[in-house]
Amino acid sequence: MKRSPRIPREPEPAKSDKAVSDIERRDFLKIGLAITGVFAGGTLLSAVSVVDEVFASREELAESYPYKPHYSMVIRQDNCIDCERCVEACARTNDVPEYGYRTRILQHVSEESEGRTVEFIPVLCNQCNNPACVRACPTKATYKDKTNGIVMMDQSKCIGCKTCMSACPCNDRYFNEETMAVDKCNFCYDTRLSKGETLTACAEACPAGVRIFGDLSDPQSEVYKRVHDLEAAVWVQRPETGTKPNIFYTTG
Amino acid sequence: MADNVSTETAKAPFLLTAWEGVYDGIRNRAYLFTLIAMALLVVAGVAAGMHARSVGTMHAYGVTREVPWGILISTYVFFVVTSTGLCLVSSIGHVFGVKDYAPIAKRSVFLAVATIISGFFVIFFEIENPLRMAIYNVISPNLTSNIWWMGTLYGAYMMFMAIEFTLLVQRRYRLATLLGFLGVVSGVAAHSNLGAVFGMLDGREFWYGPFMPIYFITSAMMSGAAAIILFTWLAYKVNGEQMDSGMKRALEVTTKVGILLIAVILFFTTWKFIIGFAGGEAKVMALRSLLTGPYAFNFWVLEILVGMVIPLVLFLKSRGTNLGMMALASGLMVFGIFFMRYDLVVVGQIVPVYYELEVKEYTGLLSYTPSFHEIMVVLGGIGLTGFLFLLGEKVFGGHKSEAH
């Protein structure tokens, strides 16, 4: 996993932050595709740059894209102190059994680094725009929510073949023996968002402001501003697999 | 099936001859003992599978979050590969009309059905919710899913092959040829989809790419040749009969298919490694685990030596006429190929997906060891094939049939 290099300022004038029509928004998305392709060599992946890969056809795209709200999370990785309150809050909120996890914190140790030698890397389902798990599921038990882009599980349809677990390039799924279905992060959709809460349990529990949760399609949101800040280094997990994650990592 | 109607009158004599055959068989103590042993394996497999289901597969099976597919998946692959191979190799005779291959047709079609049933037996205990599968595969199909296509096409394949066998028994050869053709088409489609189940997972470098569907079909034919020779030889031992010249000729040409396909798979394997070493770190790690790592014994001894090189030499030395040598070669092949499937499935998952992130949680290869329960289910599947084979020989009178 390499971070993208510092990204030069965008040469094209940025679109205004005002509400734009669907057509204008899609035009912007196409520009977004060009920008990320040119400057980041594919490392920086705009969540909104996968027109051809996410949908079967452009017709489908016209009807259902972009997601509104387009839920996304930016992780300010260097702020994480590994207190694991996010992991606990997640387990409590979503009935995650002890043998499983929807989110966890990995540790990267580099002895030769100056100053800090340990980095903590929170990981959770990337809610990919081109999710390998959704393509692989035989019964549509896991699916991309057409409204908000969350990769959902319909537990009652899960046959337990575990193909989604093999397909996920980030190991973000586990088999839950209580529900007899594969379980995964859904941004607390059933437990919080659908009940009017605006944050996921992990984002709310984080004392260090690591997990910024919000609507990527809203130019006023912090996730939008951070992902579209071409001066900041932004990266995702396993970009080479082409799944177009919606969990972005940054510093500062 | 409309075909059954016209044969209603023939039903009673068939049952009679079938019973006579079985009765003759069980008077032989060795046959009876083996048949019961196979049945007990099936019972033990069912018991282990049911127990695993009741206590939770997480406790009973060796699979984990990181390595979710284990020996039950690889054994399923082993059985369906064998089934597809039996269908494809024997179809040269009973579908495409090459007369030399005709004598092996009936037994091969029967065994193709027996092995696919064994595959389904094993996968039944691997899938967590078979009932949900039966319902939602039908009412909520995902057409981009290889698992869906594979399951559905194999269902159709099993039906076609079972009908074809019925027609062969009834000597309705013209219609049997049509069903055999449908079996070939659905078998190839199903089996290449099984390859694509692995090949389309772009998060798993060891599997990803167009190689898998092609490799699966080719290695199916290799397995099929081995299975035909082994089971035909065994059948003549079981029935205490001498092969006629037609059957000998059929095994001779099947041996040629075996030689060709071993050569092709050795060629494929060589290039898979050479090309793989030009790939990313994760892929190289997986390949190294086979060449020099924890799977080196499986790879060099079981896959390469036992599964391919020794059988190739034996096949060549046998000149297609030394039946004992050919039987030994094909037996070694079937044994080695079992581990070929195991390595294919397990090694694809042992490199952690986060390996290149260099986190302390995932510094080396993951491990997987089959549990007692898993091994018992596998033995149950093997027992089921053995049981059906032995029973089939007596019920269907040694699968004798004229060329069609």
Side-chain angles (χ1 to χ4, degrees), chain A residues 23 67 70-71 80-81 84 96 104 111 119 135 145 160 162 185 207 214 216 230 232 243 251:
Chain A
I23 292 165
Y67 304 114
H70 189 124
Y71 287 127
C80 180
I81 53 169
E84 306 237 332
V96 179
R104 74 183 294 197
E111 303 290 353
E119 260 183 316
R135 184 200 64 75
D145 189 287
K162 301 173 186 170
C185 165
L216 196 59
L230 294 179
T243 58
T251 54

PDB file of all heavy atoms in Angstrom, chain A residues 23 67 70-71 80-81 84 96 104 111 119 135 145 160 162 185 207 214 216 230 232 243 251:
ATOM      1  N   ILE A  23     -27.365  16.380 -14.689  1.00  0.00           N
ATOM      2  CA  ILE A  23     -26.485  16.326 -15.870  1.00  0.00           C
ATOM      3  C   ILE A  23     -25.142  16.982 -15.539  1.00  0.00           C
ATOM      4  O   ILE A  23     -24.080  16.442 -15.804  1.00  0.00           O
ATOM      5  CB  ILE A  23     -27.153  17.028 -17.068  1.00  0.00           C
ATOM      6  CG1 ILE A  23     -28.363  16.200 -17.508  1.00  0.00           C
ATOM      7  CG2 ILE A  23     -26.164  17.191 -18.225  1.00  0.00           C
ATOM      8  CD1 ILE A  23     -29.305  16.934 -18.411  1.00  0.00           C
ATOM      9  N   TYR A  67     -25.383   8.152  -5.798  1.00  0.00           N
ATOM     10  CA  TYR A  67     -26.154   7.860  -4.594  1.00  0.00           C
ATOM     11  C   TYR A  67     -26.434   9.163  -3.868  1.00  0.00           C
ATOM     12  O   TYR A  67     -25.627  10.076  -3.876  1.00  0.00           O
ATOM     13  CB  TYR A  67     -25.363   6.921  -3.688  1.00  0.00           C
ATOM     14  CG  TYR A  67     -24.947   5.660  -4.381  1.00  0.00           C
ATOM     15  CD1 TYR A  67     -23.620   5.385  -4.627  1.00  0.00           C
ATOM     16  CD2 TYR A  67     -25.914   4.753  -4.816  1.00  0.00           C
ATOM     17  CE1 TYR A  67     -23.244   4.225  -5.283  1.00  0.00           C
ATOM     18  CE2 TYR A  67     -25.537   3.591  -5.470  1.00  0.00           C
ATOM     19  CZ  TYR A  67     -24.196   3.336  -5.709  1.00  0.00           C
ATOM     20  OH  TYR A  67     -23.826   2.203  -6.350  1.00  0.00           O
ATOM     21  N   HIS A  70     -24.531   9.765  -0.577  1.00  0.00           N
ATOM     22  CA  HIS A  70     -23.480   8.819  -0.923  1.00  0.00           C
ATOM     23  C   HIS A  70     -22.594   8.679   0.322  1.00  0.00           C
ATOM     24  O   HIS A  70     -21.620   9.411   0.492  1.00  0.00           O
ATOM     25  CB  HIS A  70     -22.684   9.370  -2.108  1.00  0.00           C
ATOM     26  CG  HIS A  70     -21.713   8.393  -2.686  1.00  0.00           C
ATOM     27  ND1 HIS A  70     -21.730   8.028  -3.991  1.00  0.00           N
ATOM     28  CD2 HIS A  70     -20.698   7.700  -2.118  1.00  0.00           C
ATOM     29  CE1 HIS A  70     -20.760   7.149  -4.215  1.00  0.00           C
ATOM     30  NE2 HIS A  70     -20.125   6.949  -3.088  1.00  0.00           N
ATOM     31  N   TYR A  71     -22.962   7.707   1.166  1.00  0.00           N
ATOM     32  CA  TYR A  71     -22.248   7.572   2.442  1.00  0.00           C
ATOM     33  C   TYR A  71     -20.803   7.149   2.230  1.00  0.00           C
ATOM     34  O   TYR A  71     -20.501   6.309   1.382  1.00  0.00           O
ATOM     35  CB  TYR A  71     -22.946   6.562   3.342  1.00  0.00           C
ATOM     36  CG  TYR A  71     -24.226   7.093   3.925  1.00  0.00           C
ATOM     37  CD1 TYR A  71     -25.413   6.385   3.803  1.00  0.00           C
ATOM     38  CD2 TYR A  71     -24.250   8.315   4.610  1.00  0.00           C
ATOM     39  CE1 TYR A  71     -26.594   6.867   4.347  1.00  0.00           C
ATOM     40  CE2 TYR A  71     -25.426   8.809   5.146  1.00  0.00           C
ATOM     41  CZ  TYR A  71     -26.597   8.080   5.022  1.00  0.00           C
ATOM     42  OH  TYR A  71     -27.754   8.549   5.547  1.00  0.00           O
ATOM     43  N   CYS A  80      -5.190   8.081  14.908  1.00  0.00           N
ATOM     44  CA  CYS A  80      -5.693   6.905  15.628  1.00  0.00           C
ATOM     45  C   CYS A  80      -4.709   6.497  16.724  1.00  0.00           C
ATOM     46  O   CYS A  80      -3.497   6.393  16.493  1.00  0.00           O
ATOM     47  CB  CYS A  80      -5.914   5.744  14.675  1.00  0.00           C
ATOM     48  SG  CYS A  80      -6.523   4.256  15.501  1.00  0.00           S
ATOM     49  N   ILE A  81      -5.256   6.272  17.942  1.00  0.00           N
ATOM     50  CA  ILE A  81      -4.407   5.899  19.082  1.00  0.00           C
ATOM     51  C   ILE A  81      -4.675   4.461  19.519  1.00  0.00           C
ATOM     52  O   ILE A  81      -4.210   4.033  20.570  1.00  0.00           O
ATOM     53  CB  ILE A  81      -4.638   6.865  20.265  1.00  0.00           C
ATOM     54  CG1 ILE A  81      -6.139   6.935  20.590  1.00  0.00           C
ATOM     55  CG2 ILE A  81      -4.079   8.245  19.935  1.00  0.00           C
ATOM     56  CD1 ILE A  81      -6.463   7.642  21.884  1.00  0.00           C
ATOM     57  N   GLU A  84      -9.527   1.507  20.590  1.00  0.00           N
ATOM     58  CA  GLU A  84     -10.500   0.463  20.250  1.00  0.00           C
ATOM     59  C   GLU A  84     -11.918   0.776  20.716  1.00  0.00           C
ATOM     60  O   GLU A  84     -12.761  -0.106  20.791  1.00  0.00           O
ATOM     61  CB  GLU A  84     -10.054  -0.905  20.801  1.00  0.00           C
ATOM     62  CG  GLU A  84      -8.662  -1.291  20.371  1.00  0.00           C
ATOM     63  CD  GLU A  84      -8.587  -2.614  19.630  1.00  0.00           C
ATOM     64  OE1 GLU A  84      -9.436  -3.479  19.881  1.00  0.00           O
ATOM     65  OE2 GLU A  84      -7.685  -2.752  18.772  1.00  0.00           O
ATOM     66  N   VAL A  96     -22.321  -7.668  17.436  1.00  0.00           N
ATOM     67  CA  VAL A  96     -21.228  -8.432  16.822  1.00  0.00           C
ATOM     68  C   VAL A  96     -20.697  -9.426  17.850  1.00  0.00           C
ATOM     69  O   VAL A  96     -20.310  -9.020  18.950  1.00  0.00           O
ATOM     70  CB  VAL A  96     -20.096  -7.494  16.350  1.00  0.00           C
ATOM     71  CG1 VAL A  96     -18.955  -8.296  15.738  1.00  0.00           C
ATOM     72  CG2 VAL A  96     -20.630  -6.490  15.341  1.00  0.00           C
ATOM     73  N   ARG A 104     -11.886  -3.251  12.749  1.00  0.00           N
ATOM     74  CA  ARG A 104     -10.777  -3.506  13.663  1.00  0.00           C
ATOM     75  C   ARG A 104      -9.655  -2.528  13.363  1.00  0.00           C
ATOM     76  O   ARG A 104      -9.740  -1.761  12.400  1.00  0.00           O
ATOM     77  CB  ARG A 104     -10.277  -4.956  13.532  1.00  0.00           C
ATOM     78  CG  ARG A 104      -9.480  -5.197  12.281  1.00  0.00           C
ATOM     79  CD  ARG A 104      -9.058  -6.634  12.106  1.00  0.00           C
ATOM     80  NE  ARG A 104      -8.115  -7.077  13.134  1.00  0.00           N
ATOM     81  CZ  ARG A 104      -7.368  -8.177  13.004  1.00  0.00           C
ATOM     82  NH1 ARG A 104      -7.460  -8.899  11.900  1.00  0.00           N
ATOM     83  NH2 ARG A 104      -6.543  -8.540  13.940  1.00  0.00           N
ATOM     84  N   GLU A 111      10.268   0.015  12.449  1.00  0.00           N
ATOM     85  CA  GLU A 111      11.314   0.356  13.406  1.00  0.00           C
ATOM     86  C   GLU A 111      12.236   1.462  12.898  1.00  0.00           C
ATOM     87  O   GLU A 111      12.755   2.256  13.672  1.00  0.00           O
ATOM     88  CB  GLU A 111      12.164  -0.895  13.720  1.00  0.00           C
ATOM     89  CG  GLU A 111      11.393  -2.093  14.250  1.00  0.00           C
ATOM     90  CD  GLU A 111      10.867  -1.885  15.668  1.00  0.00           C
ATOM     91  OE1 GLU A 111      11.213  -0.856  16.279  1.00  0.00           O
ATOM     92  OE2 GLU A 111      10.102  -2.747  16.145  1.00  0.00           O
ATOM     93  N   GLU A 119       1.990   2.741  13.424  1.00  0.00           N
ATOM     94  CA  GLU A 119       0.823   3.368  12.823  1.00  0.00           C
ATOM     95  C   GLU A 119      -0.376   2.474  13.084  1.00  0.00           C
ATOM     96  O   GLU A 119      -0.271   1.258  12.938  1.00  0.00           O
ATOM     97  CB  GLU A 119       1.005   3.440  11.303  1.00  0.00           C
ATOM     98  CG  GLU A 119       1.437   4.754  10.767  1.00  0.00           C
ATOM     99  CD  GLU A 119       1.494   4.691   9.252  1.00  0.00           C
ATOM    100  OE1 GLU A 119       2.011   3.706   8.686  1.00  0.00           O
ATOM    101  OE2 GLU A 119       0.994   5.628   8.633  1.00  0.00           O
ATOM    102  N   ARG A 135     -20.984  -8.898  -6.747  1.00  0.00           N
ATOM    103  CA  ARG A 135     -20.982  -9.643  -7.999  1.00  0.00           C
ATOM    104  C   ARG A 135     -21.001 -11.146  -7.747  1.00  0.00           C
ATOM    105  O   ARG A 135     -21.662 -11.893  -8.460  1.00  0.00           O
ATOM    106  CB  ARG A 135     -19.746  -9.311  -8.844  1.00  0.00           C
ATOM    107  CG  ARG A 135     -19.770 -10.001 -10.195  1.00  0.00           C
ATOM    108  CD  ARG A 135     -18.420 -10.098 -10.863  1.00  0.00           C
ATOM    109  NE  ARG A 135     -17.455 -10.903 -10.146  1.00  0.00           N
ATOM    110  CZ  ARG A 135     -17.453 -12.239 -10.080  1.00  0.00           C
ATOM    111  NH1 ARG A 135     -18.397 -12.935 -10.680  1.00  0.00           N
ATOM    112  NH2 ARG A 135     -16.523 -12.882  -9.404  1.00  0.00           N
ATOM    113  N   ASP A 145     -26.965  -0.900  -1.992  1.00  0.00           N
ATOM    114  CA  ASP A 145     -28.198  -0.133  -1.844  1.00  0.00           C
ATOM    115  C   ASP A 145     -28.237   0.975  -2.894  1.00  0.00           C
ATOM    116  O   ASP A 145     -27.305   1.760  -3.022  1.00  0.00           O
ATOM    117  CB  ASP A 145     -28.279   0.466  -0.443  1.00  0.00           C
ATOM    118  CG  ASP A 145     -29.637   1.090  -0.175  1.00  0.00           C
ATOM    119  OD1 ASP A 145     -29.917   2.176  -0.734  1.00  0.00           O
ATOM    120  OD2 ASP A 145     -30.416   0.481   0.567  1.00  0.00           O
ATOM    121  N   GLY A 160     -24.753 -19.072   2.855  1.00  0.00           N
ATOM    122  CA  GLY A 160     -23.551 -19.458   3.589  1.00  0.00           C
ATOM    123  C   GLY A 160     -22.514 -20.158   2.732  1.00  0.00           C
ATOM    124  O   GLY A 160     -21.830 -21.056   3.200  1.00  0.00           O
ATOM    125  N   LYS A 162     -20.012 -18.514   1.432  1.00  0.00           N
ATOM    126  CA  LYS A 162     -18.791 -17.791   1.806  1.00  0.00           C
ATOM    127  C   LYS A 162     -17.985 -17.306   0.606  1.00  0.00           C
ATOM    128  O   LYS A 162     -16.803 -16.961   0.746  1.00  0.00           O
ATOM    129  CB  LYS A 162     -17.922 -18.637   2.742  1.00  0.00           C
ATOM    130  CG  LYS A 162     -18.687 -18.996   4.011  1.00  0.00           C
ATOM    131  CD  LYS A 162     -17.963 -19.953   4.905  1.00  0.00           C
ATOM    132  CE  LYS A 162     -18.890 -20.333   6.061  1.00  0.00           C
ATOM    133  NZ  LYS A 162     -18.363 -21.430   6.866  1.00  0.00           N
ATOM    134  N   CYS A 185     -19.997  -4.691   8.052  1.00  0.00           N
ATOM    135  CA  CYS A 185     -20.369  -3.308   8.354  1.00  0.00           C
ATOM    136  C   CYS A 185     -21.383  -2.806   7.335  1.00  0.00           C
ATOM    137  O   CYS A 185     -21.232  -3.004   6.139  1.00  0.00           O
ATOM    138  CB  CYS A 185     -19.113  -2.437   8.307  1.00  0.00           C
ATOM    139  SG  CYS A 185     -19.464  -0.677   8.226  1.00  0.00           S
ATOM    140  N   PRO A 207     -12.636   9.114  20.134  1.00  0.00           N
ATOM    141  CA  PRO A 207     -12.285  10.321  20.882  1.00  0.00           C
ATOM    142  C   PRO A 207     -11.277  11.202  20.135  1.00  0.00           C
ATOM    143  O   PRO A 207     -11.031  12.333  20.534  1.00  0.00           O
ATOM    144  CB  PRO A 207     -11.654   9.757  22.165  1.00  0.00           C
ATOM    145  CG  PRO A 207     -11.062   8.453  21.739  1.00  0.00           C
ATOM    146  CD  PRO A 207     -11.936   7.922  20.646  1.00  0.00           C
ATOM    147  N   GLY A 214     -19.823  10.833   6.455  1.00  0.00           N
ATOM    148  CA  GLY A 214     -20.722  11.807   5.840  1.00  0.00           C
ATOM    149  C   GLY A 214     -21.129  11.439   4.432  1.00  0.00           C
ATOM    150  O   GLY A 214     -20.889  10.330   3.968  1.00  0.00           O
ATOM    151  N   LEU A 216     -20.783  11.935   0.642  1.00  0.00           N
ATOM    152  CA  LEU A 216     -19.796  12.363  -0.343  1.00  0.00           C
ATOM    153  C   LEU A 216     -20.421  13.170  -1.472  1.00  0.00           C
ATOM    154  O   LEU A 216     -19.737  13.886  -2.196  1.00  0.00           O
ATOM    155  CB  LEU A 216     -19.081  11.128  -0.910  1.00  0.00           C
ATOM    156  CG  LEU A 216     -17.770  11.353  -1.659  1.00  0.00           C
ATOM    157  CD1 LEU A 216     -16.742  12.022  -0.770  1.00  0.00           C
ATOM    158  CD2 LEU A 216     -17.219  10.036  -2.174  1.00  0.00           C
ATOM    159  N   LEU A 230      -7.253  18.343  -3.427  1.00  0.00           N
ATOM    160  CA  LEU A 230      -6.170  17.768  -4.218  1.00  0.00           C
ATOM    161  C   LEU A 230      -4.800  18.020  -3.599  1.00  0.00           C
ATOM    162  O   LEU A 230      -3.806  17.476  -4.044  1.00  0.00           O
ATOM    163  CB  LEU A 230      -6.232  18.293  -5.647  1.00  0.00           C
ATOM    164  CG  LEU A 230      -7.464  17.836  -6.428  1.00  0.00           C
ATOM    165  CD1 LEU A 230      -7.454  18.424  -7.819  1.00  0.00           C
ATOM    166  CD2 LEU A 230      -7.539  16.322  -6.507  1.00  0.00           C
ATOM    167  N   ALA A 232      -4.225  17.293  -0.446  1.00  0.00           N
ATOM    168  CA  ALA A 232      -4.040  16.280   0.602  1.00  0.00           C
ATOM    169  C   ALA A 232      -3.755  14.925  -0.027  1.00  0.00           C
ATOM    170  O   ALA A 232      -4.224  14.625  -1.117  1.00  0.00           O
ATOM    171  CB  ALA A 232      -5.296  16.196   1.458  1.00  0.00           C
ATOM    172  N   THR A 243     -11.945  -2.182  -6.957  1.00  0.00           N
ATOM    173  CA  THR A 243     -13.294  -2.215  -6.386  1.00  0.00           C
ATOM    174  C   THR A 243     -13.821  -0.829  -6.039  1.00  0.00           C
ATOM    175  O   THR A 243     -14.984  -0.691  -5.699  1.00  0.00           O
ATOM    176  CB  THR A 243     -13.320  -3.079  -5.112  1.00  0.00           C
ATOM    177  OG1 THR A 243     -12.392  -2.546  -4.181  1.00  0.00           O
ATOM    178  CG2 THR A 243     -12.983  -4.521  -5.418  1.00  0.00           C
ATOM    179  N   THR A 251      -4.200  11.969   6.180  1.00  0.00           N
ATOM    180  CA  THR A 251      -3.528  12.386   7.410  1.00  0.00           C
ATOM    181  C   THR A 251      -3.953  13.816   7.729  1.00  0.00           C
ATOM    182  O   THR A 251      -4.470  14.519   6.866  1.00  0.00           O
ATOM    183  CB  THR A 251      -1.992  12.355   7.274  1.00  0.00           C
ATOM    184  OG1 THR A 251      -1.624  13.136   6.136  1.00  0.00           O
ATOM    185  CG2 THR A 251      -1.488  10.938   7.100  1.00  0.00           C
TER     186      THR A 251
END
